[in-house]
Amino acid sequence: MNDTKRRSGFAGAADLVAHAEVATRYLKELCSACASGDKAEARAALRRAISELEVARAMLRTGAE
């Protein structure tokens, strides 16, 4: 039986979303760098986005357990 008053979330959800939003900004930078042909900046932005998403994924694993 499910408790209707119990929320199915975890305490770090807001932090996880914040990391995902930062990753989104880096992906926009990546897009801009690609449009301007700046490969070095595109690589750097991609690395930063991946890093943020990896942090979010780790937080999700921790929060889901």
Side-chain angles (χ1 to χ4, degrees):
M1 182 193 253
N2 291 337
D3 184 1
T4 57
K5 292 185 180 189
R6 185 173 175 195
R7 294 178 62 188
S8 62
F10 60 94
D15 291 332
L16 187 146
V17 170
H19 283 284
E21 289 172 344
V22 172
T24 300
R25 285 193 297 254
Y26 289 139
L27 290 173
K28 288 178 182 177
E29 288 178 18
L30 168 66
C31 197
S32 176
C34 288
S36 67
D38 188 348
K39 288 183 182 181
E41 181 56 33
R43 282 190 207 100
L46 181 58
R47 280 194 300 273
R48 290 189 298 263
I50 289 169
S51 176
E52 289 294 330
L53 291 172
E54 286 175 343
V55 170
R57 180 178 61 180
M59 292 174 71
L60 181 60
R61 281 189 187 151
T62 302
E65 292 175 353

